[in-house]
Amino acid sequence: FGDVYLIDPGAMQVVQRYASATIGAQGYTATQAFILADGQLALLGAIGGLYFDGSPDFAIWNPVSNTATILRAQLPNFGPYIGQMALTADRSKVLVGGATAGYIELYDPSTNSVLSANTCGDTEEILPTPDGKRIICVGLGGYVEVLDANTLAELASFPNVPGYSAVLSQDGSTLYTVDSEANVLAWDTTTFTQKGWVSSFNVLDQQQAIVAASIDETGLIFGPIGHGVAFVDASKINS
């Protein structure tokens, strides 16, 4: 229903629940929450209209004052729906990419300013590098673009990196993508040549492969799969 929960990860306990109807002055239905460096949250909005793979807006929400700024028409090249959302490496700015239009935008909530850039197509993943210098955009159908994190200028593009979900190693050196046959592939993030592959699996379900959602410092990739959550050990890359 779009409620937001504050959870103590050590105790695995809910500390506070924010009902969606109480978020901001008029309520806000959230589907994802990202914590900004200043303590505010960037909330991705609910699925909108007939496009079931995107959200029509996002909000910057201060949970202390309970003020929310909903952003939609303010962004100059904003497409009809957002497909992906992320934060910059320092968590000071918000990145959004189109679900039905080829664009990426960088929004600074401290100045209410935005930068826009066209991309090769619908954005599957937005992955800022840990050093804060680059943004790796994984597009639908296996096209990767590398952008300058400050200007969104294109630094490089690679057309043959198949992936329907992707994560970046914590040191930023390796991109892991999951292709349509549930294979987990490893790529060098400088040359985007393939380093190898990672042992994985699939299940007999509509979502047969892991949707790579995050990776820890040991190289453990985890994310949803049919009927549950999958874990893949990416610490060993096969040649």
Side-chain angles (χ1 to χ4, degrees):
F1 297 101
D3 299 345
V4 175
Y5 292 82
L6 175 62
I7 297 173
D8 181 339
M12 289 299 289
Q13 293 180 341
V14 175
V15 177
Q16 188 169 352
R17 168 179 171 254
Y18 301 90
S20 60
T22 68
I23 296 175
Q26 299 178 337
Y28 191 77
T29 302
T31 54
Q32 283 185 283
F34 301 83
I35 303 174
L36 291 159
D38 62 4
Q40 297 190 101
L41 273 72
L43 302 176
L44 183 60
I47 303 300
L50 299 176
Y51 294 94
F52 295 108
D53 59 347
S55 303
D57 53 42
F58 70 97
I60 304 299
W61 174 51
N62 187 324
V64 177
S65 62
N66 194 29
T67 54
T69 302
I70 300 173
L71 294 127
R72 183 177 182 177
Q74 290 93 327
L75 304 183
N77 295 329
F78 190 62
Y81 288 89
I82 301 170
Q84 286 293 332
M85 186 173 177
L87 301 182
T88 54
D90 63 1
R91 296 190 294 120
S92 66
K93 301 177 182 68
V94 181
L95 292 153
V96 295
T100 56
Y103 73 89
I104 184 171
E105 297 199 334
L106 176 67
Y107 175 72
D108 186 344
S110 66
T111 60
N112 195 34
S113 59
V114 63
L115 289 175
S116 302
N118 294 324
T119 59
C120 57
D122 300 350
T123 304
E124 287 287 305
E125 300 288 346
I126 303 172
L127 303 169
T129 58
D131 61 9
K133 295 180 179 179
R134 297 179 298 156
I135 296 168
I136 297 174
C137 295
V138 181
L140 183 64
Y143 198 104
V144 167
E145 285 187 89
V146 182
L147 308 177
D148 184 282
N150 295 313
T151 66
L152 297 185
E154 184 180 288
L155 303 176
S157 61
F158 303 91
N160 298 307
V161 183
Y164 292 89
S165 64
V167 290
L168 192 63
S169 63
Q170 290 206 359
D171 64 1
S173 66
T174 306
L175 176 72
Y176 298 94
T177 65
V178 184
D179 70 12
S180 60
E181 297 181 346
N183 299 306
V184 178
L185 311 175
W187 307 85
D188 183 285
T189 57
T190 301
T191 63
F192 279 90
T193 55
Q194 188 175 350
K195 289 184 173 183
W197 59 280
V198 175
S199 298
S200 186
F201 58 92
N202 58 19
V203 297
L204 294 176
D205 201 348
Q206 185 174 3
Q207 180 56 46
Q208 65 172 2
I210 182 175
V211 179
S214 193
I215 185 171
D216 71 8
E217 67 279 357
T218 71
L220 183 66
I221 299 173
F222 44 96
I225 198 170
H227 283 88
V229 178
F231 299 84
V232 172
D233 181 6
S235 63
K236 177 177 172 53
I237 298 175
N238 303 297
S239 61

